[in-house]
Amino acid sequence: QVRLVESGGGSVQAGGSLRLSCAASEYTYTYCMGWFRQAPGKEREGVAAIDSVGSTNYADSVKGRFTISQDNAKNTLHLQMNSLKPEDTAMYYCAAETPCDYAYLAPYEYNYWGQGTQVTVSS
C-alpha cells in the first residue's frame, strides 16, 4: 500500500506562486497520480492528473496556471501553481490510482490519498 505525504502549502497573496510536492513510499511510475482540492463546505475536486506515460489532464479553472509533473527517480509528484487566486484556497491532496487507466480528475477513481496540505491565497 503506497503512502503519500504532501508538502509545500502555505499562505500567499493573489498573483503569487507555490510549489506542492507529494512524496510516495514506493515507485509510482506505473500509477496515475493526481492533485485534488477541497474548500470548506465544498466537494473535493480534481485539479490536475498525470498518467503513467506522462499525459496530463487539468481542470478548466487551473489551465495555464498550474503544472503537474512527476520525478520518477525520487518518487515525487509536484504541482507548480502560478498566478494564484483567492478561489484557489483549499486543502490540497495528492492521490494515486492503480492500475493506471487514464488521468481522471474524479476523486472516486483514486485508491490512495495523502493527508493534505493547506493553501491559502489572500486578495
Side-chain angles (χ1 to χ4, degrees):
Q1 181 172 347
V2 62
R3 295 184 301 276
L4 304 170
V5 179
E6 301 94 337
S7 62
S11 297
V12 295
Q13 291 191 328
S17 298
L18 282 174
R19 180 177 169 87
L20 304 184
S21 296
C22 171
S25 60
E26 62 186 59
Y27 289 119
T28 57
Y29 58 89
T30 62
Y31 295 10
C32 287
M33 302 293 294
W35 287 100
F36 299 80
R37 66 187 182 188
Q38 188 167 17
K42 294 188 176 182
E43 293 186 355
R44 190 169 297 189
E45 63 175 354
V47 174
I50 187 167
D51 70 9
S52 59
V53 295
S55 296
T56 57
N57 190 13
Y58 294 93
D60 288 343
S61 59
V62 306
K63 282 181 181 176
R65 299 189 298 123
F66 291 10
T67 302
I68 189 171
S69 61
Q70 192 165 12
D71 184 341
N72 290 328
K74 297 182 179 180
N75 300 340
T76 304
L77 182 74
H78 299 287
L79 184 68
Q80 179 67 44
M81 304 187 296
N82 299 328
S83 303
L84 282 162
K85 304 175 182 181
E87 51 263 44
D88 294 319
T89 295
M91 184 72 78
Y92 282 71
Y93 299 89
C94 167
E97 172 198 354
T98 182
C100 181
D101 178 17
Y102 176 76
Y104 294 108
L105 293 177
Y108 65 80
E109 296 285 351
Y110 290 77
N111 316 88
Y112 302 104
W113 292 84
Q115 294 301 306
T117 185
Q118 178 68 37
V119 171
T120 303
V121 184
S122 58
S123 58

